[in-house]
Amino acid sequence: MKKMKFACLFAALMLMCASVLASCTGGGPGNTASADNILKMPFSEDPDTLDPQKTTEYYMVPLNIFDRLVEAETVAGKPEIVLGLAESYEVSEDGLVYTFKLRDGVKFHNGETLTSDDVVYTVNRMMRPENETLNTDFFDMVKGALAVYEGEADEVEGVIALDSLTVQFTLEYPFGAFLANLATPAGSIFNRKQCEAAGNDFGIEPSQTVGTGPFQVTDWQLNNKLSLTAFKDYWRGAASIDGVEFIVLPDHETQRMSFENGELDVFDAFYAPSQLPYFLESSKWKGNIVSGLEAGLYFYLFNVEAEPYNIPGVREAIAYAIDRQLILDTLFNGEGKVVDCIVVEGVLGHNPGFPKMEYNPQKAKELLAEAGFPDGLACEIIITNDASSSERDMNVAIQGMLKEVGIDLSIRAVDMATYYDMREKGQTPLERMAWWVDYNDPDNFLYTFFSEKKSAHYSVNYFDPEVISLLEAARREVDNDARLKMYQDAEEIIVARDHVAIPMFQVTHTFVLSDRVKNFKVSWNGWSDMPLYEISIQN
C-alpha cells in the first residue's frame, strides 16, 4: 500500500465523499462499497496455481478464465449439463464415441482462435507424466490415455481432430458420467501455442495464463490480491462487470470488518465460519443473505482391515454413538442437514429413501457387547498437525460421545508427509473426510472411495465383490436409470449394511452480499468457487 501525504486532509475528504455517496444510494447496509464496477471478493490464501490441471483445491479463478466443452449450470433450480465451447455434440449408440462441434471464432485472451487442435493438446498435456498433473482421473477413460500416462505411448489415441472445429473422443468403455467429467474445472481448454510457450509459467504468471473465459488475469500480488479484467472479446459477450479483485484476508474477523467497511462485496462464510452467527443474528444483514446446500458432505471412513474397525459390529456401534445433529448445531450453527447416505441431495442418483441411522447410544452399547467388547474398547483416529479447527473440534466432540458408550478414541496428530505415507500404505485407521462433488454423478463419490482401484488409496481397504461388480458395471452401463440403480444398490451395501462410512451432514453454504451486487447465484454444487460472468453491480 502506498503512503499518502496530507493524510488527515485526505481522510476528511474521503469521509465527506462517503457520506454523500451513502445519502445518494439510500444508506442501506451494503451500500458502503466503492462506486466502481469491480467485484471485490475474499481469498483466505493465495492459490498454489491457476492451472486447473495442477490443482485439486483452487478452482475459483480457473472457472472464470477458462471455458470447457460443456458446462455444469443451475437451470430452473437443478444442475444440468449445457453447451460451452461446443455448439453441439453427438454420442454413439454404444456410448463409446463423443463428437463435438466447436463454436466458430472463439478467441483466447492472447488473440488466438480456438480450434480442435487445442482440445487435443489439452488432453495430451493432462496425461503426459512429465507435466505432473493432478487430475488425470478425468480423462483416464479415454482410449489410450493411460498408455500415455504410463509412458507407453506419446499421444492419446482416443482424442482426434476431425477438422479444425470438430473433435472426437473415443472411450475405452462406455462411461455415463463422461459429459459431467468434461464440465469440471479439470476439463478447461488451453491454447496450445500459449501453453507450450509459457512452460512452467503457465498458471503462475498472469500474462502467460490465458484461456477463452469471460475474465483474464491482469495482476497477482502474493499475499495481497489477484485481479481479473473482463475479456472484451468473450464469445458470449463481455461481462457486465469490469473485473474482479480477490483480496487475501486470512483472518476471519478482518474479513467481516472489510465487508462491513465496503472493502468487500461478498462475505463468504466458508472462509470465515466463526463470523457466521453475527450475520445470522443481524437484522441489518438478514435481507442480504443467500445460501444453498453444498453438494457434498462431512463423513468418516473406516479402514476395514485395521483393528478394531475390521469388525462390522464395532463400526455400526460407533455410528449409533454419534449425535450428528448436536455436532451440526454446535459447530455449524445448525446450518445444514444430517444425512444418512454418501450421495447427498443435489447429486444425480441421490436416494431420498435411504435407510435412516438414528442416534442411539444404548444400541451402540448392545452392538459392542455382541461384537465381543462388553467392557468397551480403545481405538484411534489420525489427523495432520495442521488439521483445521473444525476437523479437530469435530473429532473431539465424537471422542466425548464415544466415551459415553465405552469407546476410548485417541486422536493422534502427525505431520503431513507421514500422514499421506501412512494412507498410501493402508495404515490410517479412521479418517474424517470432507468431499464436495467435482462432477454431478454418484460415481464421483462411490467409485472414488470404494472401487477396487481406489479403495486402498484412501486406506479404506474395502474389497467387497458385490460392490466392486456393481461399481464397475455402473461405469459401463449406457442406460442412465439402470446405472443409477446400480450405484444406489452399492451405496446401501457400503453404508447401511457394512457401515464402512459414517455420513455426517451436508452444510449450507452462506454468503452475505453488499446491496450493489445483483444476479448472484450460489453454484449448483455449493462451492465457494463459482462462475462470476452473470453477476452485475449497481452503484
Side-chain angles (χ1 to χ4, degrees):
M1 181 180 295
K2 295 180 180 178
K3 294 183 179 179
M4 300 183 182
K5 297 181 179 179
F6 312 112
C8 294
L9 176 60
F10 181 82
L13 289 171
M14 288 301 99
L15 183 62
M16 291 172 59
C17 291
S19 176
V20 172
L21 179 60
S23 65
C24 291
T25 55
N31 286 330
T32 55
S34 58
D36 56 33
N37 201 31
I38 303 293
L39 182 71
K40 297 176 177 63
M41 299 188 69
F43 266 171
S44 59
E45 60 183 358
D46 282 294
D48 291 336
T49 177
L50 308 182
D51 181 346
Q53 292 189 352
K54 296 189 176 185
T55 182
T56 59
E57 296 183 64
Y58 302 102
Y59 288 141
M60 173 65 94
V61 176
L63 279 169
N64 288 285
I65 64 174
F66 300 105
D67 288 312
R68 290 135 291 275
L69 295 174
V70 291
E71 304 282 0
E73 293 184 359
T74 302
V75 179
K78 295 183 178 181
E80 288 190 11
I81 302 298
V82 300
L83 294 169
L85 293 177
E87 66 177 16
S88 65
Y89 64 87
E90 296 179 355
V91 185
S92 63
E93 289 187 9
D94 61 7
L96 288 174
V97 181
Y98 290 71
T99 306
F100 296 89
K101 185 70 174 180
L102 302 182
R103 299 182 188 275
D104 192 8
V106 172
K107 294 290 185 182
F108 285 94
H109 302 151
N110 62 350
E112 293 288 314
T113 301
L114 171 72
T115 70
S116 53
D117 177 67
D118 294 308
V119 180
V120 173
Y121 168 76
T122 298
V123 177
N124 278 281
R125 180 183 186 267
M126 176 76 89
M127 301 310 300
R128 290 196 174 108
E130 64 269 21
N131 292 328
E132 299 181 337
T133 55
L134 301 179
N135 283 315
T136 56
D137 284 0
F138 291 95
F139 289 134
D140 67 9
M141 71 293 299
V142 178
K143 189 174 182 180
L146 287 178
V148 172
Y149 181 71
E150 293 165 359
E152 298 172 357
D154 294 328
E155 298 285 333
V156 177
E157 179 184 351
V159 57
I160 58 173
L162 300 182
D163 59 43
S164 64
L165 291 175
T166 310
V167 63
Q168 187 174 85
F169 288 80
T170 301
L171 308 187
E172 294 279 5
Y173 51 86
F175 181 48
F178 183 62
L179 286 175
N181 249 24
L182 295 181
T184 64
S188 300
I189 303 303
F190 302 155
N191 175 236
R192 177 192 288 270
K193 179 179 178 180
Q194 180 66 41
C195 205
E196 287 183 338
N200 292 331
D201 285 338
F202 189 82
I204 303 298
E205 290 293 334
S207 63
Q208 299 295 316
T209 308
V210 305
T212 60
F215 300 95
Q216 57 192 109
V217 191
T218 50
D219 187 36
W220 188 359
Q221 302 170 24
L222 289 178
N223 300 314
N224 184 11
K225 67 180 179 179
L226 191 155
S227 301
L228 307 182
T229 301
F231 181 41
K232 301 304 181 185
D233 293 326
Y234 186 48
W235 59 271
R236 292 172 65 186
S240 67
I241 58 176
D242 293 334
V244 186
E245 282 187 0
F246 299 103
I247 301 169
V248 180
L249 297 169
D251 180 71
H252 293 188
E253 188 171 358
T254 302
Q255 287 191 32
R256 177 182 63 79
M257 293 172 62
S258 295
F259 174 75
E260 292 204 282
N261 291 338
E263 297 162 20
L264 292 174
D265 291 304
V266 178
F267 172 85
D268 184 347
F270 181 84
Y271 290 135
S274 65
Q275 304 302 301
L276 180 57
Y278 169 83
F279 287 105
L280 294 177
E281 296 165 7
S282 171
S283 58
K284 175 181 178 181
W285 290 108
K286 66 180 181 180
N288 295 59
I289 293 175
V290 296
S291 61
L293 265 182
E294 296 175 350
L297 76 162
Y298 293 94
F299 63 107
Y300 281 83
L301 268 181
F302 292 106
N303 181 343
V304 300
E305 291 184 352
E307 295 181 355
Y309 305 128
N310 58 333
I311 302 173
V314 171
R315 301 195 297 266
E316 186 177 7
I318 291 173
Y320 273 112
I322 298 174
D323 188 342
R324 296 171 294 164
Q325 186 65 55
L326 179 59
I327 296 174
L328 177 64
D329 291 342
T330 304
L331 300 185
F332 296 91
N333 303 288
E335 294 294 304
K337 61 184 294 185
V338 168
V339 295
D340 297 290
C341 51
I342 297 292
V343 181
V344 293
E345 182 180 332
V347 178
L348 185 68
H350 168 66
N351 180 6
F354 198 86
K356 300 294 183 183
M357 170 66 73
E358 301 294 341
Y359 170 56
N360 190 335
Q362 183 57 41
K363 176 71 170 176
K365 292 177 182 178
E366 293 170 2
L367 286 166
L368 284 177
E370 292 172 9
F373 301 97
D375 300 321
L377 56 84
C379 55
E380 183 179 57
I381 186 170
I382 295 179
I383 63 173
T384 61
N385 288 326
D386 60 350
S388 67
S389 59
S390 68
E391 180 175 359
R392 291 177 182 275
D393 291 344
M394 196 181 300
N395 288 337
V396 169
I398 288 174
Q399 184 182 48
M401 292 171 182
L402 295 186
K403 192 172 187 63
E404 292 181 5
V405 301
I407 298 174
D408 182 14
L409 176 68
S410 63
I411 304 171
R412 179 157 65 101
V414 298
D415 63 82
M416 186 77 74
T418 300
Y419 177 83
Y420 282 110
D421 182 61
M422 291 179 66
R423 195 169 78 172
E424 285 290 332
K425 293 177 179 176
Q427 297 173 351
T428 51
L430 177 63
E431 294 185 74
R432 193 212 72 159
M433 303 296 297
W435 191 262
W436 292 267
V437 66
D438 292 299
Y439 55 96
N440 188 22
D441 199 271
D443 183 85
N444 193 206
F445 288 102
L446 300 178
Y447 194 87
T448 298
F449 294 102
F450 307 108
S451 65
E452 185 174 24
K453 177 182 177 183
K454 300 283 191 176
S455 183
H457 175 72
Y458 289 99
S459 279
V460 184
N461 296 318
Y462 175 70
F463 304 108
D464 182 85
E466 187 177 1
V467 169
I468 290 170
S469 177
L470 283 167
L471 294 181
E472 293 296 340
R475 279 203 139 197
R476 290 159 172 77
E477 177 57 56
V478 176
D479 182 276
N480 198 52
D481 290 339
R483 78 181 187 88
L484 294 182
K485 179 63 166 58
M486 292 177 188
Y487 282 119
Q488 290 177 351
D489 290 347
E491 184 180 27
E492 285 208 26
I493 296 170
I494 295 164
V495 179
R497 188 193 78 182
D498 291 348
H499 304 283
V500 181
I502 303 176
M504 295 290 287
F505 33 74
Q506 279 179 280
V507 174
T508 300
H509 199 139
T510 301
F511 300 85
V512 190
L513 310 177
S514 71
D515 280 350
R516 71 188 203 132
V517 175
K518 309 299 177 184
N519 303 322
F520 183 98
K521 298 177 183 177
V522 180
S523 180
W524 68 270
N525 50 15
W527 283 2
S528 290
D529 304 339
M530 63 180 66
L532 304 173
Y533 173 68
E534 295 184 354
I535 291 177
S536 61
I537 288 175
Q538 293 180 8
N539 287 301

